[in-house]
C-alpha cells in the first residue's frame, strides 16, 4: 500500500522554492535566495550575485570581502554582488510589478540595508530560515511594524 502523500503547507512550499533559487547564487561565501509572494503567487525571485554586466566573484575566482578580511554582517558595500532580497525587489521593479502588500521569503535574515529597501518597497512581512549577524534589522522592522519571523524548515538543512 502506498503511504499517503503529504502536501506541503504554503510556508514549506515557498521555502522549498527559496532554497532552490539560492542554488543560483554566484557568491563564494553564501548561497542566499529570496522570493516575493503576494496572494500565494510568486511575483519575483532573487539570489545573491553581481548585477547584469558586472562579473561575479565566482567568475573572477575570488571574494573581495575575503581578500580584505571583512567580517560577515559588516561593510555590505564592499562586495561585487547584490543581496538576494535586493535582486528580487529589483526584478519586480524591472518588470513593472509592485511588491506592495507582499511577503518576502528568504533563506537568511535580511541585513539592515535590505531591511530598509524591503520597508520602502511596501513588503508587509518577512520570513527567513537562518540568522544573519546584523542587529539593526529587527529594530527597523519593529519600528516599521513589519513582522519578521524566523521559521524552521521540515527538511532541516545547514546554516549556510
Amino acid at each position: 500500500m502506498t503511504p499517503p502523500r503529504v502536501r506541503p503547507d504554503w510556508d514549506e512550499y515557498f521555502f522549498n522554492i527559496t532554497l532552490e533559487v539560492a542554488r543560483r547564487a554566484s557568491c563564494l561565501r553564501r548561497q542566499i535566495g529570496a522570493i516575493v509572494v503576494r496572494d500565494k503567487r510568486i511575483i519575483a525571485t532573487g539570489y545573491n550575485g553581481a548585477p547584469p554586466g558586472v562579473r561575479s566573484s565566482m567568475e573572477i575566482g575570488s571574494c573581495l570581502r575575503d581578500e580584505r578580511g571583512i567580517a560577515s554582517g559588516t561593510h555590505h558595500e564592499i562586495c561585487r554582488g547584490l543581496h538576494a532580497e535586493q535582486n528580487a525587489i529589483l526584478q519586480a521593479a524591472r518588470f513593472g510589478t509592485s511588491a506592495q502588500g507582499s511577503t518576502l521569503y528568504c533563506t537568511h535574515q535580511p541585513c539592515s540595508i535590505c531591511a530598509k529597501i524591503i520597508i520602502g518597497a511596501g513588503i508587509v512581512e518577512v520570513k527567513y530560515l537562518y540568522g544573519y549577524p546584523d542587529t539593526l534589522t529587527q529594530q527597523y522592522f519593529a519600528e516599521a511594524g513589519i513582522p519578521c519571523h524566523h521559521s524552521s524548515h521540515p527538511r532541516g538543512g545547514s546554516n549556510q
Side-chain angles (χ1 to χ4, degrees):
M1 183 170 187
T2 306
R5 183 174 69 106
V6 178
R7 189 173 183 207
D9 66 23
W10 286 109
D11 281 348
E12 183 181 357
Y13 171 73
F14 290 128
F15 276 127
N16 284 337
I17 294 168
T18 303
L19 289 164
E20 188 63 27
V21 169
R23 293 183 56 205
R24 287 283 307 153
S26 60
C27 176
L28 297 174
R29 279 186 163 190
R30 293 180 188 201
Q31 291 185 311
I32 299 178
I35 63 172
V36 181
V37 175
R38 188 176 50 235
D39 299 324
K40 296 185 176 131
R41 301 290 177 255
I42 297 168
I43 62 171
T45 66
Y47 51 85
N48 54 330
V54 176
R55 292 181 303 152
S56 70
S57 297
M58 185 178 275
E59 291 171 302
I60 291 171
S62 65
C63 172
L64 187 60
R65 293 174 59 81
D66 282 344
E67 289 170 4
R68 296 184 182 184
I70 297 170
S72 185
T74 66
H75 298 288
H76 302 101
E77 72 281 3
I78 302 174
C79 179
R80 297 189 69 79
L82 293 165
H83 288 187
E85 305 91 327
Q86 294 167 355
N87 273 324
I89 292 166
L90 287 168
Q91 182 187 79
R94 190 173 193 173
F95 293 102
T97 304
S98 172
Q100 183 75 35
S102 62
T103 297
L104 180 99
Y105 285 82
C106 196
T107 56
H108 291 70
Q109 174 192 293
C111 72
S112 56
I113 293 171
C114 287
K116 292 183 283 185
I117 293 168
I118 290 163
I119 293 164
I123 292 171
V124 297
E125 183 176 28
V126 175
K127 298 181 181 188
Y128 66 92
L129 295 172
Y130 307 115
Y132 186 76
D134 190 329
T135 56
L136 284 175
T137 297
Q138 293 294 342
Q139 285 180 250
Y140 290 151
F141 284 139
E143 188 174 338
I146 295 174
C148 182
H149 311 284
H150 177 264
S151 300
S152 59
H153 190 271
R155 287 193 329 206
S158 63
N159 185 359
Q160 302 175 13

